[in-house]
Amino acid sequence: MSLSIESRCIHLEDDDRAARYGAVSFPIYQTATFAHPALGQSTGYDYSRVQNPTRQQLEKTVAALESGTDAVAFATGMAAILAVMELFAPGDHVVTESDLYGGTPRLFRTVCEPRGITFTSVNFSKGMEEAAQAITPATKALYIETPTNPMMNVTDIRVAAELAHAHGAVLIVDNTFLSPYLQNPLTLGADIVVHSGTKYLSGHNDTLAGFAVVKDPVLAARLREVSKTIGANLAPFDSWLVLRGIQTLAVRMDRAEENALALAHWLQKQPQVSRVIYPGLPEHPGHELMKCQARGFGAMLSFEVTDKTYVPVLLKNVKLIRFAESLGGTESLLTYPVTQTHADVPPEVLAANGLSDRILRLSVGIENVNDLTADLTQAFAAL
């Protein structure tokens, strides 16, 4: 039978339960190597860098959730992005979204550009004109986040895919902010989806992970070869932690999104807040587009205070909400992008993206919303 996405977070539709002796929780195969039955024979597993049963179960789960043919699990989200970039050669060109998680352009600048790949950044959310003008005969990919980090810009995935394919390029989408529960870029025309599995997929701020998901078997084989060769694969125990986290992905995302909308409305009423940026608000420029290409608006929001001096006071006075990097866990986290996630982004790029030193990013967790509101109330009272 065909399962809903909520059930697919918990059950693989083609799961072979007999192969694990009826264990409800998938076993952790904590082994580096596997014995061969005889010369020229294999159990299907030889060495955990190449494949491990626990990691394979996780990869099948993520591929199913994203409607992909294959998913490759990596030690971190950055390792997954680097592996995807290894699909390109010196002389290739990539058009990227200008408002990306700060570690991504740092990777492009410090690792990819020295090996001959070039990049042009544009604002995809304003339409495809600027992106189309940036495409050259050497362009092999378009790379976007939607919504973006941290300015929550929304890009039309279908249109971006059409533009990429018209020029013989692939579309790569970082789907970390919404997770496969709320958005499936591969079904909208994207070719590769990447995730920081550390975030919503794991969901408990207790492990690092990354994924690259594809629908083309040829791309899948190339990614498998890269992962096998560079060896940045996810370990068995971490694979099990993410598997366990995904089981509650649906209920966590539903609760966190409900909380995020309530906090967005609360923040709009505060005189010290000049702007709340959340796609779930009807006035957000990407609100209607997200209703067309996603099943929800997520639990990430950013807000801008009226005075820069308010920032350290808020960060010091939140108690239930933690002042920390990362996102997507059960706990609510408050982040200051210009000194944390985007510290390596040049000031002129921050300014062009509208990311000022008065903007804070809030990853809303699954705590009781009244407790979260009370925490923000007492923190704002200190201003």
Side-chain angles (χ1 to χ4, degrees), residues 259-276:
N259 286 351
L261 181 59
L263 292 185
H265 287 307
W266 184 90
L267 286 164
Q268 285 183 314
K269 299 174 183 177
Q270 307 313 305
Q272 305 93 336
V273 174
S274 55
R275 180 167 50 140
V276 178

Side-chain angles (χ1 to χ4, degrees), residues 66 77 145-147 173-180 183 193-201 253 300 327-328:
E66 280 289 13
E145 293 174 358
T146 182
V173 181
D174 186 328
N175 197 30
T176 298
F177 265 24
L178 290 188
S179 88
Q183 182 171 265
V193 170
V194 294
H195 283 277
S196 173
T198 309
K199 312 306 192 295
Y200 287 107
L201 289 173
M253 291 300 296
M300 296 298 302
L327 59 101

